[in-house]
PDB file of all heavy atoms in Angstrom:
ATOM      1  N   CYS H   1      -7.896   9.940 -15.153  1.00 98.00           N
ATOM      2  CA  CYS H   1      -8.980   9.027 -15.574  1.00 98.00           C
ATOM      3  C   CYS H   1     -10.314   9.692 -15.373  1.00 98.00           C
ATOM      4  O   CYS H   1     -10.714  10.080 -14.335  1.00 98.00           O
ATOM      5  CB  CYS H   1      -8.908   7.757 -14.666  1.00 98.00           C
ATOM      6  SG  CYS H   1     -10.209   6.586 -14.910  1.00 98.00           S
ATOM      7  N   ALA H   2     -11.044   9.849 -16.471  1.00 98.00           N
ATOM      8  CA  ALA H   2     -12.251  10.488 -16.446  1.00 98.00           C
ATOM      9  C   ALA H   2     -13.434   9.413 -16.736  1.00 98.00           C
ATOM     10  O   ALA H   2     -13.338   8.647 -17.690  1.00 98.00           O
ATOM     11  CB  ALA H   2     -12.346  11.498 -17.606  1.00 98.00           C
ATOM     12  N   ALA H   3     -14.427   9.445 -15.912  1.00 97.00           N
ATOM     13  CA  ALA H   3     -15.547   8.523 -16.032  1.00 97.00           C
ATOM     14  C   ALA H   3     -16.723   9.281 -16.771  1.00 97.00           C
ATOM     15  O   ALA H   3     -16.954  10.440 -16.605  1.00 97.00           O
ATOM     16  CB  ALA H   3     -16.128   8.150 -14.594  1.00 97.00           C
ATOM     17  N   SER H   4     -17.344   8.496 -17.703  1.00 97.00           N
ATOM     18  CA  SER H   4     -18.492   9.020 -18.482  1.00 97.00           C
ATOM     19  C   SER H   4     -19.502   8.052 -18.799  1.00 97.00           C
ATOM     20  O   SER H   4     -19.266   6.812 -18.542  1.00 97.00           O
ATOM     21  CB  SER H   4     -17.999   9.584 -19.784  1.00 97.00           C
ATOM     22  OG  SER H   4     -17.352   8.635 -20.602  1.00 97.00           O
ATOM     23  N   GLY H   5     -20.687   8.432 -19.141  1.00 97.00           N
ATOM     24  CA  GLY H   5     -21.761   7.522 -19.459  1.00 97.00           C
ATOM     25  C   GLY H   5     -22.915   7.628 -18.477  1.00 97.00           C
ATOM     26  O   GLY H   5     -23.193   8.693 -17.990  1.00 97.00           O
ATOM     27  N   SER H   6     -23.506   6.475 -18.119  1.00 95.00           N
ATOM     28  CA  SER H   6     -24.750   6.458 -17.277  1.00 95.00           C
ATOM     29  C   SER H   6     -24.297   6.527 -15.763  1.00 95.00           C
ATOM     30  O   SER H   6     -24.508   5.539 -15.103  1.00 95.00           O
ATOM     31  CB  SER H   6     -25.637   5.357 -17.601  1.00 95.00           C
ATOM     32  OG  SER H   6     -26.053   5.311 -19.018  1.00 95.00           O
ATOM     33  N   ILE H   7     -23.812   7.620 -15.371  1.00 96.00           N
ATOM     34  CA  ILE H   7     -23.276   7.768 -14.064  1.00 96.00           C
ATOM     35  C   ILE H   7     -24.410   8.391 -13.066  1.00 96.00           C
ATOM     36  O   ILE H   7     -24.971   9.455 -13.364  1.00 96.00           O
ATOM     37  CB  ILE H   7     -22.142   8.619 -13.943  1.00 96.00           C
ATOM     38  CG1 ILE H   7     -21.059   7.982 -14.719  1.00 96.00           C
ATOM     39  CG2 ILE H   7     -21.619   8.785 -12.505  1.00 96.00           C
ATOM     40  CD1 ILE H   7     -19.762   8.877 -14.964  1.00 96.00           C
ATOM     41  N   GLY H   8     -24.725   7.624 -12.046  1.00 95.00           N
ATOM     42  CA  GLY H   8     -25.614   8.281 -11.012  1.00 95.00           C
ATOM     43  C   GLY H   8     -24.739   8.848  -9.875  1.00 95.00           C
ATOM     44  O   GLY H   8     -24.850  10.004  -9.738  1.00 95.00           O
ATOM     45  N   THR H   9     -24.034   7.999  -9.253  1.00 95.00           N
ATOM     46  CA  THR H   9     -23.086   8.514  -8.097  1.00 95.00           C
ATOM     47  C   THR H   9     -21.814   7.717  -8.210  1.00 95.00           C
ATOM     48  O   THR H   9     -21.863   6.585  -8.385  1.00 95.00           O
ATOM     49  CB  THR H   9     -23.784   8.240  -6.753  1.00 95.00           C
ATOM     50  OG1 THR H   9     -25.011   8.785  -6.747  1.00 95.00           O
ATOM     51  CG2 THR H   9     -22.965   8.803  -5.663  1.00 95.00           C
ATOM     52  N   ILE H  10     -20.725   8.472  -8.097  1.00 96.00           N
ATOM     53  CA  ILE H  10     -19.433   7.799  -7.993  1.00 96.00           C
ATOM     54  C   ILE H  10     -19.016   7.759  -6.507  1.00 96.00           C
ATOM     55  O   ILE H  10     -18.953   8.793  -5.834  1.00 96.00           O
ATOM     56  CB  ILE H  10     -18.393   8.599  -8.765  1.00 96.00           C
ATOM     57  CG1 ILE H  10     -18.819   8.631 -10.280  1.00 96.00           C
ATOM     58  CG2 ILE H  10     -17.048   7.938  -8.688  1.00 96.00           C
ATOM     59  CD1 ILE H  10     -17.747   9.386 -11.098  1.00 96.00           C
ATOM     60  N   TYR H  11     -18.654   6.603  -5.954  1.00 97.00           N
ATOM     61  CA  TYR H  11     -18.217   6.376  -4.665  1.00 97.00           C
ATOM     62  C   TYR H  11     -16.620   6.409  -4.691  1.00 97.00           C
ATOM     63  O   TYR H  11     -16.070   7.332  -5.267  1.00 97.00           O
ATOM     64  CB  TYR H  11     -18.805   5.158  -4.113  1.00 97.00           C
ATOM     65  CG  TYR H  11     -20.317   5.280  -4.015  1.00 97.00           C
ATOM     66  CD1 TYR H  11     -21.141   4.673  -5.050  1.00 97.00           C
ATOM     67  CD2 TYR H  11     -20.980   5.991  -3.071  1.00 97.00           C
ATOM     68  CE1 TYR H  11     -22.535   4.856  -5.064  1.00 97.00           C
ATOM     69  CE2 TYR H  11     -22.324   6.164  -3.064  1.00 97.00           C
ATOM     70  CZ  TYR H  11     -23.080   5.479  -3.953  1.00 97.00           C
ATOM     71  OH  TYR H  11     -24.514   5.681  -3.976  1.00 97.00           O
ATOM     72  N   THR H  12     -16.017   5.345  -4.292  1.00 97.00           N
ATOM     73  CA  THR H  12     -14.600   5.198  -4.223  1.00 97.00           C
ATOM     74  C   THR H  12     -14.005   5.143  -5.635  1.00 97.00           C
ATOM     75  O   THR H  12     -14.546   4.401  -6.490  1.00 97.00           O
ATOM     76  CB  THR H  12     -14.180   4.132  -3.409  1.00 97.00           C
ATOM     77  OG1 THR H  12     -14.558   4.137  -2.114  1.00 97.00           O
ATOM     78  CG2 THR H  12     -12.610   3.911  -3.376  1.00 97.00           C
ATOM     79  N   MET H  13     -12.897   5.948  -5.909  1.00 98.00           N
ATOM     80  CA  MET H  13     -12.166   5.830  -7.122  1.00 98.00           C
ATOM     81  C   MET H  13     -10.723   5.421  -6.654  1.00 98.00           C
ATOM     82  O   MET H  13     -10.270   5.698  -5.496  1.00 98.00           O
ATOM     83  CB  MET H  13     -12.171   7.184  -7.835  1.00 98.00           C
ATOM     84  CG  MET H  13     -13.419   7.697  -8.262  1.00 98.00           C
ATOM     85  SD  MET H  13     -13.399   9.134  -9.254  1.00 98.00           S
ATOM     86  CE  MET H  13     -13.169   8.381 -10.854  1.00 98.00           C
ATOM     87  N   ALA H  14     -10.141   4.708  -7.565  1.00 98.00           N
ATOM     88  CA  ALA H  14      -8.786   4.108  -7.171  1.00 98.00           C
ATOM     89  C   ALA H  14      -7.855   3.916  -8.318  1.00 98.00           C
ATOM     90  O   ALA H  14      -8.360   3.869  -9.517  1.00 98.00           O
ATOM     91  CB  ALA H  14      -9.018   2.774  -6.443  1.00 98.00           C
ATOM     92  N   TRP H  15      -6.629   3.701  -8.136  1.00 98.00           N
ATOM     93  CA  TRP H  15      -5.570   3.286  -9.034  1.00 98.00           C
ATOM     94  C   TRP H  15      -4.904   1.911  -8.556  1.00 98.00           C
ATOM     95  O   TRP H  15      -4.581   1.847  -7.393  1.00 98.00           O
ATOM     96  CB  TRP H  15      -4.517   4.348  -9.171  1.00 98.00           C
ATOM     97  CG  TRP H  15      -4.960   5.543  -9.968  1.00 98.00           C
ATOM     98  CD1 TRP H  15      -5.300   6.725  -9.360  1.00 98.00           C
ATOM     99  CD2 TRP H  15      -5.006   5.716 -11.310  1.00 98.00           C
ATOM    100  NE1 TRP H  15      -5.668   7.623 -10.340  1.00 98.00           N
ATOM    101  CE2 TRP H  15      -5.465   7.046 -11.555  1.00 98.00           C
ATOM    102  CE3 TRP H  15      -4.717   4.935 -12.424  1.00 98.00           C
ATOM    103  CZ2 TRP H  15      -5.620   7.622 -12.803  1.00 98.00           C
ATOM    104  CZ3 TRP H  15      -4.884   5.502 -13.724  1.00 98.00           C
ATOM    105  CH2 TRP H  15      -5.342   6.751 -13.855  1.00 98.00           C
ATOM    106  N   TYR H  16      -4.887   1.014  -9.454  1.00 98.00           N
ATOM    107  CA  TYR H  16      -4.185  -0.243  -9.259  1.00 98.00           C
ATOM    108  C   TYR H  16      -3.042  -0.392 -10.214  1.00 98.00           C
ATOM    109  O   TYR H  16      -3.001   0.437 -11.250  1.00 98.00           O
ATOM    110  CB  TYR H  16      -5.027  -1.477  -9.536  1.00 98.00           C
ATOM    111  CG  TYR H  16      -6.184  -1.620  -8.398  1.00 98.00           C
ATOM    112  CD1 TYR H  16      -7.330  -0.843  -8.312  1.00 98.00           C
ATOM    113  CD2 TYR H  16      -6.094  -2.607  -7.455  1.00 98.00           C
ATOM    114  CE1 TYR H  16      -8.260  -0.995  -7.437  1.00 98.00           C
ATOM    115  CE2 TYR H  16      -7.019  -2.860  -6.530  1.00 98.00           C
ATOM    116  CZ  TYR H  16      -8.076  -1.972  -6.535  1.00 98.00           C
ATOM    117  OH  TYR H  16      -9.053  -2.205  -5.487  1.00 98.00           O
ATOM    118  N   ARG H  17      -2.132  -1.235 -10.106  1.00 98.00           N
ATOM    119  CA  ARG H  17      -1.089  -1.579 -10.998  1.00 98.00           C
ATOM    120  C   ARG H  17      -0.656  -2.981 -10.964  1.00 98.00           C
ATOM    121  O   ARG H  17      -0.895  -3.681  -9.968  1.00 98.00           O
ATOM    122  CB  ARG H  17       0.205  -0.594 -10.742  1.00 98.00           C
ATOM    123  CG  ARG H  17       0.927  -0.962  -9.543  1.00 98.00           C
ATOM    124  CD  ARG H  17       2.068   0.004  -9.198  1.00 98.00           C
ATOM    125  NE  ARG H  17       2.860  -0.253  -8.114  1.00 98.00           N
ATOM    126  CZ  ARG H  17       3.857   0.490  -7.565  1.00 98.00           C
ATOM    127  NH1 ARG H  17       4.122   1.604  -8.150  1.00 98.00           N
ATOM    128  NH2 ARG H  17       4.470   0.136  -6.462  1.00 98.00           N
ATOM    129  N   GLN H  18      -0.086  -3.409 -12.119  1.00 98.00           N
ATOM    130  CA  GLN H  18       0.416  -4.807 -12.245  1.00 98.00           C
ATOM    131  C   GLN H  18       1.663  -4.750 -12.904  1.00 98.00           C
ATOM    132  O   GLN H  18       1.832  -4.411 -14.139  1.00 98.00           O
ATOM    133  CB  GLN H  18      -0.703  -5.643 -12.995  1.00 98.00           C
ATOM    134  CG  GLN H  18      -0.246  -7.169 -12.973  1.00 98.00           C
ATOM    135  CD  GLN H  18      -1.369  -8.105 -13.390  1.00 98.00           C
ATOM    136  OE1 GLN H  18      -2.343  -7.524 -14.040  1.00 98.00           O
ATOM    137  NE2 GLN H  18      -1.222  -9.327 -13.140  1.00 98.00           N
ATOM    138  N   ALA H  19       2.704  -5.170 -12.266  1.00 97.00           N
ATOM    139  CA  ALA H  19       4.067  -5.284 -12.848  1.00 97.00           C
ATOM    140  C   ALA H  19       4.342  -6.565 -13.509  1.00 97.00           C
ATOM    141  O   ALA H  19       3.595  -7.549 -13.117  1.00 97.00           O
ATOM    142  CB  ALA H  19       5.155  -5.027 -11.816  1.00 97.00           C
ATOM    143  N   PRO H  20       5.229  -6.742 -14.489  1.00 91.00           N
ATOM    144  CA  PRO H  20       5.449  -8.042 -15.038  1.00 91.00           C
ATOM    145  C   PRO H  20       5.725  -9.128 -14.009  1.00 91.00           C
ATOM    146  O   PRO H  20       6.602  -8.951 -13.198  1.00 91.00           O
ATOM    147  CB  PRO H  20       6.606  -7.812 -15.915  1.00 91.00           C
ATOM    148  CG  PRO H  20       6.590  -6.326 -16.267  1.00 91.00           C
ATOM    149  CD  PRO H  20       6.094  -5.716 -15.043  1.00 91.00           C
ATOM    150  N   GLY H  21       5.012 -10.244 -14.130  1.00 94.00           N
ATOM    151  CA  GLY H  21       5.249 -11.379 -13.247  1.00 94.00           C
ATOM    152  C   GLY H  21       4.661 -11.293 -11.866  1.00 94.00           C
ATOM    153  O   GLY H  21       4.953 -12.088 -11.070  1.00 94.00           O
ATOM    154  N   LYS H  22       3.917 -10.198 -11.630  1.00 96.00           N
ATOM    155  CA  LYS H  22       3.386  -9.868 -10.239  1.00 96.00           C
ATOM    156  C   LYS H  22       1.853  -9.829 -10.262  1.00 96.00           C
ATOM    157  O   LYS H  22       1.264  -9.617 -11.300  1.00 96.00           O
ATOM    158  CB  LYS H  22       4.052  -8.612  -9.656  1.00 96.00           C
ATOM    159  CG  LYS H  22       5.581  -8.689  -9.468  1.00 96.00           C
ATOM    160  CD  LYS H  22       6.011  -7.471  -8.826  1.00 96.00           C
ATOM    161  CE  LYS H  22       5.513  -7.347  -7.383  1.00 96.00           C
ATOM    162  NZ  LYS H  22       6.111  -6.192  -6.658  1.00 96.00           N
ATOM    163  N   GLN H  23       1.366  -9.899  -9.155  1.00 97.00           N
ATOM    164  CA  GLN H  23      -0.204  -9.707  -8.933  1.00 97.00           C
ATOM    165  C   GLN H  23      -0.552  -8.295  -9.083  1.00 97.00           C
ATOM    166  O   GLN H  23       0.208  -7.313  -8.728  1.00 97.00           O
ATOM    167  CB  GLN H  23      -0.577 -10.246  -7.524  1.00 97.00           C
ATOM    168  CG  GLN H  23      -0.372 -11.771  -7.378  1.00 97.00           C
ATOM    169  CD  GLN H  23      -1.442 -12.527  -8.176  1.00 97.00           C
ATOM    170  OE1 GLN H  23      -1.070 -13.186  -9.185  1.00 97.00           O
ATOM    171  NE2 GLN H  23      -2.599 -12.650  -7.806  1.00 97.00           N
ATOM    172  N   ARG H  24      -1.715  -8.009  -9.422  1.00 97.00           N
ATOM    173  CA  ARG H  24      -2.308  -6.761  -9.425  1.00 97.00           C
ATOM    174  C   ARG H  24      -2.393  -6.146  -7.971  1.00 97.00           C
ATOM    175  O   ARG H  24      -2.707  -6.914  -7.016  1.00 97.00           O
ATOM    176  CB  ARG H  24      -3.642  -6.700 -10.066  1.00 97.00           C
ATOM    177  CG  ARG H  24      -4.195  -5.231 -10.203  1.00 97.00           C
ATOM    178  CD  ARG H  24      -5.650  -5.258 -10.708  1.00 97.00           C
ATOM    179  NE  ARG H  24      -6.581  -5.912  -9.820  1.00 97.00           N
ATOM    180  CZ  ARG H  24      -7.823  -6.079 -10.058  1.00 97.00           C
ATOM    181  NH1 ARG H  24      -8.333  -5.831 -11.202  1.00 97.00           N
ATOM    182  NH2 ARG H  24      -8.638  -6.737  -9.111  1.00 97.00           N
ATOM    183  N   GLU H  25      -2.036  -5.008  -7.680  1.00 98.00           N
ATOM    184  CA  GLU H  25      -1.990  -4.411  -6.400  1.00 98.00           C
ATOM    185  C   GLU H  25      -2.645  -2.992  -6.422  1.00 98.00           C
ATOM    186  O   GLU H  25      -2.587  -2.251  -7.335  1.00 98.00           O
ATOM    187  CB  GLU H  25      -0.564  -4.367  -5.821  1.00 98.00           C
ATOM    188  CG  GLU H  25       0.238  -3.340  -6.494  1.00 98.00           C
ATOM    189  CD  GLU H  25       1.664  -3.175  -5.848  1.00 98.00           C
ATOM    190  OE1 GLU H  25       1.802  -3.643  -4.727  1.00 98.00           O
ATOM    191  OE2 GLU H  25       2.484  -2.489  -6.474  1.00 98.00           O
ATOM    192  N   LEU H  26      -3.318  -2.699  -5.214  1.00 98.00           N
ATOM    193  CA  LEU H  26      -3.794  -1.392  -4.989  1.00 98.00           C
ATOM    194  C   LEU H  26      -2.708  -0.366  -4.789  1.00 98.00           C
ATOM    195  O   LEU H  26      -1.784  -0.534  -4.002  1.00 98.00           O
ATOM    196  CB  LEU H  26      -4.725  -1.346  -3.848  1.00 98.00           C
ATOM    197  CG  LEU H  26      -5.408  -0.016  -3.431  1.00 98.00           C
ATOM    198  CD1 LEU H  26      -6.305   0.528  -4.541  1.00 98.00           C
ATOM    199  CD2 LEU H  26      -6.161  -0.057  -2.099  1.00 98.00           C
ATOM    200  N   VAL H  27      -2.775   0.746  -5.549  1.00 98.00           N
ATOM    201  CA  VAL H  27      -1.741   1.765  -5.428  1.00 98.00           C
ATOM    202  C   VAL H  27      -2.248   2.864  -4.378  1.00 98.00           C
ATOM    203  O   VAL H  27      -1.607   3.184  -3.439  1.00 98.00           O
ATOM    204  CB  VAL H  27      -1.346   2.490  -6.725  1.00 98.00           C
ATOM    205  CG1 VAL H  27      -0.357   3.520  -6.542  1.00 98.00           C
ATOM    206  CG2 VAL H  27      -0.764   1.427  -7.669  1.00 98.00           C
ATOM    207  N   ALA H  28      -3.467   3.272  -4.730  1.00 98.00           N
ATOM    208  CA  ALA H  28      -4.161   4.357  -3.893  1.00 98.00           C
ATOM    209  C   ALA H  28      -5.584   4.318  -4.124  1.00 98.00           C
ATOM    210  O   ALA H  28      -6.039   4.016  -5.284  1.00 98.00           O
ATOM    211  CB  ALA H  28      -3.567   5.685  -4.112  1.00 98.00           C
ATOM    212  N   ASN H  29      -6.437   4.768  -3.162  1.00 98.00           N
ATOM    213  CA  ASN H  29      -7.765   4.983  -3.359  1.00 98.00           C
ATOM    214  C   ASN H  29      -8.323   6.273  -2.684  1.00 98.00           C
ATOM    215  O   ASN H  29      -7.597   6.771  -1.814  1.00 98.00           O
ATOM    216  CB  ASN H  29      -8.716   3.906  -3.071  1.00 98.00           C
ATOM    217  CG  ASN H  29      -8.843   3.469  -1.657  1.00 98.00           C
ATOM    218  OD1 ASN H  29      -8.565   4.330  -0.715  1.00 98.00           O
ATOM    219  ND2 ASN H  29      -9.237   2.265  -1.289  1.00 98.00           N
ATOM    220  N   ILE H  30      -9.427   6.814  -3.101  1.00 98.00           N
ATOM    221  CA  ILE H  30      -9.986   8.037  -2.618  1.00 98.00           C
ATOM    222  C   ILE H  30     -11.489   7.876  -2.430  1.00 98.00           C
ATOM    223  O   ILE H  30     -12.206   8.203  -3.461  1.00 98.00           O
ATOM    224  CB  ILE H  30      -9.516   9.198  -3.448  1.00 98.00           C
ATOM    225  CG1 ILE H  30      -9.954  10.516  -2.847  1.00 98.00           C
ATOM    226  CG2 ILE H  30      -9.832   9.025  -4.998  1.00 98.00           C
ATOM    227  CD1 ILE H  30      -9.262  11.815  -3.414  1.00 98.00           C
ATOM    228  N   PRO H  31     -11.875   7.540  -1.277  1.00 95.00           N
ATOM    229  CA  PRO H  31     -13.398   7.261  -1.118  1.00 95.00           C
ATOM    230  C   PRO H  31     -14.162   8.671  -1.236  1.00 95.00           C
ATOM    231  O   PRO H  31     -15.357   8.671  -1.578  1.00 95.00           O
ATOM    232  CB  PRO H  31     -13.576   6.704   0.307  1.00 95.00           C
ATOM    233  CG  PRO H  31     -12.195   6.054   0.496  1.00 95.00           C
ATOM    234  CD  PRO H  31     -11.172   6.991  -0.146  1.00 95.00           C
ATOM    235  N   SER H  32     -13.519   9.733  -0.900  1.00 81.00           N
ATOM    236  CA  SER H  32     -14.033  11.077  -1.030  1.00 81.00           C
ATOM    237  C   SER H  32     -13.015  12.089  -1.297  1.00 81.00           C
ATOM    238  O   SER H  32     -11.863  11.682  -1.556  1.00 81.00           O
ATOM    239  CB  SER H  32     -14.759  11.373   0.324  1.00 81.00           C
ATOM    240  OG  SER H  32     -13.762  11.713   1.372  1.00 81.00           O
ATOM    241  N   GLY H  33     -13.283  13.341  -1.378  1.00 74.00           N
ATOM    242  CA  GLY H  33     -12.304  14.342  -1.674  1.00 74.00           C
ATOM    243  C   GLY H  33     -11.362  14.585  -0.561  1.00 74.00           C
ATOM    244  O   GLY H  33     -10.470  15.265  -0.754  1.00 74.00           O
ATOM    245  N   THR H  34     -11.599  14.028   0.723  1.00 82.00           N
ATOM    246  CA  THR H  34     -10.749  14.326   1.761  1.00 82.00           C
ATOM    247  C   THR H  34      -9.982  13.012   2.305  1.00 82.00           C
ATOM    248  O   THR H  34      -8.875  13.084   2.942  1.00 82.00           O
ATOM    249  CB  THR H  34     -11.464  14.896   2.964  1.00 82.00           C
ATOM    250  OG1 THR H  34     -12.505  14.048   3.346  1.00 82.00           O
ATOM    251  CG2 THR H  34     -12.021  16.294   2.508  1.00 82.00           C
ATOM    252  N   SER H  35     -10.610  11.843   2.106  1.00 94.00           N
ATOM    253  CA  SER H  35     -10.104  10.512   2.608  1.00 94.00           C
ATOM    254  C   SER H  35      -9.196   9.975   1.456  1.00 94.00           C
ATOM    255  O   SER H  35      -9.643   9.848   0.318  1.00 94.00           O
ATOM    256  CB  SER H  35     -11.184   9.611   3.034  1.00 94.00           C
ATOM    257  OG  SER H  35     -10.688   8.372   3.423  1.00 94.00           O
ATOM    258  N   THR H  36      -8.049   9.494   1.851  1.00 97.00           N
ATOM    259  CA  THR H  36      -7.136   8.813   0.892  1.00 97.00           C
ATOM    260  C   THR H  36      -6.438   7.652   1.517  1.00 97.00           C
ATOM    261  O   THR H  36      -6.235   7.681   2.832  1.00 97.00           O
ATOM    262  CB  THR H  36      -6.134   9.772   0.317  1.00 97.00           C
ATOM    263  OG1 THR H  36      -5.262  10.331   1.388  1.00 97.00           O
ATOM    264  CG2 THR H  36      -6.730  10.972  -0.489  1.00 97.00           C
ATOM    265  N   ASN H  37      -5.993   6.619   0.745  1.00 98.00           N
ATOM    266  CA  ASN H  37      -5.266   5.598   1.248  1.00 98.00           C
ATOM    267  C   ASN H  37      -4.234   5.227   0.216  1.00 98.00           C
ATOM    268  O   ASN H  37      -4.367   5.403  -0.915  1.00 98.00           O
ATOM    269  CB  ASN H  37      -6.178   4.324   1.422  1.00 98.00           C
ATOM    270  CG  ASN H  37      -7.269   4.571   2.408  1.00 98.00           C
ATOM    271  OD1 ASN H  37      -7.059   4.564   3.650  1.00 98.00           O
ATOM    272  ND2 ASN H  37      -8.503   4.855   1.948  1.00 98.00           N
ATOM    273  N   TYR H  38      -3.067   4.790   0.717  1.00 98.00           N
ATOM    274  CA  TYR H  38      -1.887   4.584  -0.205  1.00 98.00           C
ATOM    275  C   TYR H  38      -1.218   3.222   0.187  1.00 98.00           C
ATOM    276  O   TYR H  38      -1.140   2.870   1.351  1.00 98.00           O
ATOM    277  CB  TYR H  38      -0.807   5.634  -0.197  1.00 98.00           C
ATOM    278  CG  TYR H  38      -1.301   6.981  -0.536  1.00 98.00           C
ATOM    279  CD1 TYR H  38      -1.830   7.847   0.371  1.00 98.00           C
ATOM    280  CD2 TYR H  38      -1.250   7.358  -1.915  1.00 98.00           C
ATOM    281  CE1 TYR H  38      -2.309   9.152  -0.184  1.00 98.00           C
ATOM    282  CE2 TYR H  38      -1.706   8.565  -2.329  1.00 98.00           C
ATOM    283  CZ  TYR H  38      -2.218   9.544  -1.432  1.00 98.00           C
ATOM    284  OH  TYR H  38      -2.648  10.677  -1.795  1.00 98.00           O
ATOM    285  N   ALA H  39      -0.730   2.626  -0.766  1.00 98.00           N
ATOM    286  CA  ALA H  39       0.304   1.438  -0.508  1.00 98.00           C
ATOM    287  C   ALA H  39       1.503   2.008   0.087  1.00 98.00           C
ATOM    288  O   ALA H  39       1.907   3.112  -0.180  1.00 98.00           O
ATOM    289  CB  ALA H  39       0.584   0.697  -1.867  1.00 98.00           C
TER     290      ALA H  39
END
């Protein structure tokens, strides 16, 4: 996933997913190049 346009600073980036019939959920995020979180 590539961000483009009028970008000043990017903070946390993340992936979510939504399966059929289910709520959207956080899969993983990355607040920085070293910190990560996972479902």
Side-chain angles (χ1 to χ4, degrees):
C1 173
S4 62
S6 301
I7 298 170
T9 305
I10 301 180
Y11 300 98
T12 299
M13 304 186 82
W15 289 95
Y16 290 77
R17 69 185 181 187
Q18 187 166 17
K22 298 185 66 177
Q23 295 288 105
R24 186 185 66 184
E25 65 175 352
L26 176 68
V27 177
N29 69 20
I30 182 165
S32 70
T34 58
S35 177
T36 59
N37 301 282
Y38 297 93

